Amino acid sequence: MAAPSLLNWRRVSSFTGPVPRARHGHRAVAIRELMIIFGGGNEGIADELHVYNTVTNQWFLPAVRGDIPPGCAAHGFVCDGTRILVFGGMVEYGRYSNELYELQASRWLWKKVKPHPPSSGLPPCPRLGHSFSLYGNKCYLFGGLANESEDSNNNVPRYLNDFYELELQHGSGVVGWSIPVTKGIVPSPRESHTAVIYCKKDSGSPKMYVFGGMCGARLDDLWQLDLETMSWSKPETKGTVPLPRSLHTASVIGNKMYIFGGWVPHKGENIETSPHDCEWRCTSSFSYLNLDTAEWTTLVSDSQEDKKNSRPRPRAGHCAVAIGTRLYFWSGRDGYKKALNSQVCCKDLWYLDTEKPPAPSQVQLIKATTNSFHVKWDEVPTVEGYLLQLNTDLPHQTASSDSSLAPNLQGVRMDPHRPGSNSTVPNSISDTTNSAKTEHTPMKGTSVKNRPDLKASTDFNAALHPSMATNTSNHNSCVVDMLRKNEGPHTSANIGVLSSCLDLRTVIPETSVSSSVSSAQTMLMIHVPCLQLRSAVWKHRPQRCHFLKRLLQIQWPQ
């Protein structure tokens, strides 16, 4: 993980489709590249199911059918393959639910399910703010907030610390509830906490980690439940524990539990003497707990200011979802205006890459003829760009004479955040060193300046800002920047006739762009890890075959 100062958040500013209204108390899960959001409230409780495609940057409302559940907030929401389960939550002010719904996302079909009650004891009471965690074929329900009053307008809160197990049937349906017998001291009653489940690779039993929550005052305690022995414990941790909080999010990526946002006690408040902390504020602090070593690491401190709006502003009741090693955050409330008695909700979508992507595979030659060749490499998840350099092997005298005849370069940039729109990107003309490498360039629409020092920018973090110098050499080259696939690779575009090099033709979805250049080096941006060069017109044909033999190698910058 990058050092805190090197974190680079990205706000998604360009997208299409019906954007959900801002809210808090919603929940989100991931199915492959889809982020699925349900529920939440802001001027009424939302009952729509919204889906965001993280590859195409598109929001859409699926046509759901079946036993469509009422809108709810602060509910349980888990995903098992393409099946989603929703349990409980607030359906209207003061009225909570204990109903269970199943969504088959492959068909967008809702179904109300009725699990069998426990063999001894009562089923879970209506509640909100509980945790609902999935591991294997079982869901684990812990805590929450119940209303002791039968009058929904007269809310009498009761904090819960009961624990239930829900067994699922394979594919669809549920078996029933059970109340496991646990050992050790049970965590205190709470709501708006988080619970995640983690199992060490190749060893150990799965463990559920409960952090924070609310019980009159915000909490900062960490609890561990061994799901094999059903033993509760309070692990000793190292590092700086995050401030007490509720309505935060916890997400597991690898062996780390990432904690973001939430309500925390107000600055200067004496937590020890304030059992009921009426003064609170939202936070944008960001920490993780290494679940193998039990050590906390602060990535963004609670006191760290953000004057440049370079990361999500403070919020609570937001949603977070991990897609691969990328963490997405959407909406939430950022404060409370007492004078207006209203919430202020965010509507922004952010993501953060928590790990450096792996190096791309070596480029493979798929097909080569006397006037064309076709190369490809394996796609890397979460990578949005590749920088590919092709080098021709020409004599020094020829390279010098060709480059001296090259006019000023004009090029075209395609921004995948804005389908169908183009903005100018200068290409570069230069003789380069005889090296072939690729550099990860996650920023969509990377700009390359027309100057000898050719640099590729990235949105991963400052440590991954590689530069590629273009020095005088015996070889001409052609540089290609490949952007992540957003649609199918079906449309070709002529990106320019290189009078001293070759004619580049490649696959660009739903885009046709051309520009006349006369150079041994050009920048081309496409969405797939695949490149076809056709109708190569070489000024010096004897070197053509030698060039293909020396084809490409990809190297990750150290």
Side-chain angles (χ1 to χ4, degrees):
M1 181 65 196
S5 60
L6 299 180
L7 286 178
N8 197 338
W9 297 86
R10 283 283 290 166
R11 179 173 179 174
V12 181
S13 55
S14 298
F15 35 73
T16 59
V19 181
R21 71 177 188 267
R23 64 193 65 188
H24 63 97
H26 51 290
R27 300 289 187 261
V29 295
I31 298 180
R32 292 188 290 274
E33 73 274 13
L34 302 180
M35 179 171 69
I36 301 172
I37 296 172
F38 180 68
N42 183 26
E43 299 179 355
I45 295 178
D47 58 0
E48 310 97 351
L49 187 78
H50 290 268
V51 180
Y52 176 72
N53 188 314
T54 60
V55 173
T56 63
N57 294 330
Q58 180 183 22
W59 288 99
F60 65 92
L61 283 163
V64 297
R65 54 197 175 93
D67 305 324
I68 300 175
C72 56
H75 47 288
F77 201 55
V78 297
C79 180
D80 175 29
T82 59
R83 165 174 59 171
I84 296 174
L85 293 171
V86 181
F87 174 75
M90 180 172 68
V91 292
E92 63 181 44
Y93 179 78
R95 189 165 73 86
Y96 310 151
S97 168
N98 62 348
E99 294 179 338
L100 181 67
Y101 288 85
E102 176 187 273
L103 172 68
Q104 291 291 341
S106 59
R107 296 175 289 162
W108 301 118
L109 177 65
W110 282 107
K111 178 183 177 182
K112 186 175 182 180
V113 292
K114 296 181 178 180
H116 294 297
S119 57
S120 60
L122 299 174
C125 65
R127 66 188 66 202
L128 62 74
H130 47 283
S131 59
F132 197 54
S133 310
L134 173 74
Y135 188 82
N137 68 330
K138 293 179 180 179
C139 290
Y140 298 93
L141 170 68
F142 175 74
L145 181 71
N147 185 2
E148 290 288 84
S149 174
E150 296 181 358
D151 181 5
S152 60
N153 294 319
N154 182 26
N155 199 356
V156 179
R158 178 168 66 94
Y159 294 98
L160 305 170
N161 66 343
D162 49 357
F163 179 62
Y164 287 86
E165 187 178 84
L166 176 66
E167 185 177 354
L168 310 181
Q169 292 178 348
H170 179 71
S172 178
V174 297
V175 178
W177 294 104
S178 62
I179 304 176
V181 177
T182 61
K183 307 170 187 175
I185 300 175
V186 179
S188 60
R190 65 194 63 207
E191 56 103 0
S192 297
H193 55 283
T194 55
V196 302
I197 298 176
Y198 170 74
C199 184
K200 288 184 180 180
K201 290 184 179 179
D202 304 325
S203 64
S205 59
K207 295 178 175 59
M208 185 173 78
Y209 293 86
V210 175
F211 176 72
M214 174 74 173
C215 185
R218 270 96 197 159
L219 305 169
D220 64 352
D221 50 349
L222 176 71
W223 294 84
Q224 174 184 286
L225 176 67
D226 188 310
L227 295 180
E228 285 189 358
T229 63
M230 285 296 165
S231 300
W232 285 103
S233 61
K234 201 170 181 181
E236 293 184 4
T237 61
K238 298 171 285 186
T240 303
V241 179
L243 284 177
R245 66 191 61 211
S246 62
L247 290 173
H248 53 287
T249 53
S251 309
V252 173
I253 297 178
N255 65 345
K256 299 179 178 69
M257 178 178 72
Y258 292 90
I259 302 292
F260 176 75
W263 290 348
V264 297
H266 197 277
K267 287 181 179 179
E269 181 180 343
N270 188 334
I271 302 174
E272 299 294 333
T273 59
S274 300
H276 299 281
D277 51 335
C278 298
E279 292 298 325
W280 53 264
R281 59 187 173 87
C282 292
T283 182
S284 60
S285 59
F286 187 43
S287 303
Y288 71 76
L289 175 69
N290 186 313
L291 297 172
D292 291 336
T293 63
E295 182 173 5
W296 287 103
T297 299
T298 301
L299 298 174
V300 178
S301 68
D302 193 69
S303 59
Q304 194 171 330
E305 294 185 2
D306 179 29
K307 296 181 179 179
K308 297 182 180 180
N309 296 321
S310 59
R311 65 174 187 267
R313 68 181 189 261
R315 66 192 64 208
H318 52 285
C319 71
V321 63
I323 297 180
T325 58
R326 178 171 288 177
L327 198 52
Y328 284 85
F329 303 93
W330 183 73
S331 201
R333 54 191 291 184
D334 71 350
Y336 190 86
K337 293 184 178 179
K338 292 184 177 180
L340 300 177
N341 196 31
S342 64
Q343 286 128 181
V344 179
C345 285
C346 317
K347 199 177 181 178
D348 47 354
L349 173 64
W350 293 77
Y351 69 80
L352 176 73
D353 285 308
T354 61
E355 296 180 9
K356 176 181 175 178
S361 64
Q362 183 172 334
V363 172
Q364 304 170 43
L365 176 61
I366 303 303
K367 181 180 180 181
T369 66
T370 57
N371 65 348
S372 71
F373 68 91
H374 180 185
V375 296
K376 66 172 290 186
W377 57 91
D378 295 336
E379 187 174 10
V380 179
T382 74
V383 166
E384 293 176 9
Y386 307 85
L387 186 60
L388 177 64
Q389 181 173 335
L390 313 182
N391 293 284
T392 62
D393 197 4
L394 301 181
H396 174 68
Q397 294 82 358
T398 301
S400 301
S401 61
D402 286 348
S403 61
S404 64
L405 297 175
N408 290 334
L409 179 66
Q410 294 177 350
V412 177
R413 167 181 172 178
M414 294 161 294
D415 187 349
H417 287 297
R418 299 177 58 191
S421 67
N422 301 320
S423 56
T424 299
V425 161
N427 292 321
S428 295
I429 303 175
S430 174
D431 292 333
T432 65
T433 57
N434 183 20
S435 64
K437 65 180 179 178
T438 184
E439 297 171 0
H440 167 55
T441 55
M443 180 176 296
K444 292 188 177 181
T446 301
S447 173
V448 180
K449 299 184 181 296
N450 184 15
R451 59 187 183 186
D453 185 17
L454 178 63
K455 294 188 177 181
S457 62
T458 130
D459 75 345
F460 182 73
N461 58 49
L464 294 181
H465 278 200
S467 64
M468 182 175 63
T470 54
N471 301 320
T472 302
S473 161
N474 294 345
H475 311 283
N476 291 336
S477 69
C478 183
V479 179
V480 185
D481 182 21
M482 319 290 284
L483 287 184
R484 181 178 179 175
K485 177 175 66 177
N486 281 347
E487 293 106 4
H490 302 301
T491 307
S492 64
N494 186 354
I495 308 300
V497 178
L498 311 183
S499 61
S500 64
C501 188
L502 46 85
D503 176 20
L504 276 174
R505 296 179 183 272
T506 189
V507 182
I508 302 175
E510 300 182 5
T511 309
S512 181
V513 183
S514 65
S515 63
S516 295
V517 297
S518 181
S519 166
Q521 184 178 84
T522 187
M523 182 65 69
L524 170 66
M525 288 182 275
I526 68 172
H527 301 287
V528 291
C530 176
L531 172 65
Q532 297 183 55
L533 302 182
R534 298 176 182 171
S535 303
V537 182
W538 296 100
K539 197 114 177 175
H540 305 277
R541 290 181 178 272
Q543 279 73 34
R544 178 179 57 206
C545 295
H546 184 51
F547 168 70
L548 294 178
K549 290 178 182 177
R550 302 180 57 252
L551 200 57
L552 311 166
Q553 295 236 338
I554 286 186
Q555 298 176 357
W556 185 265
Q558 300 298 320

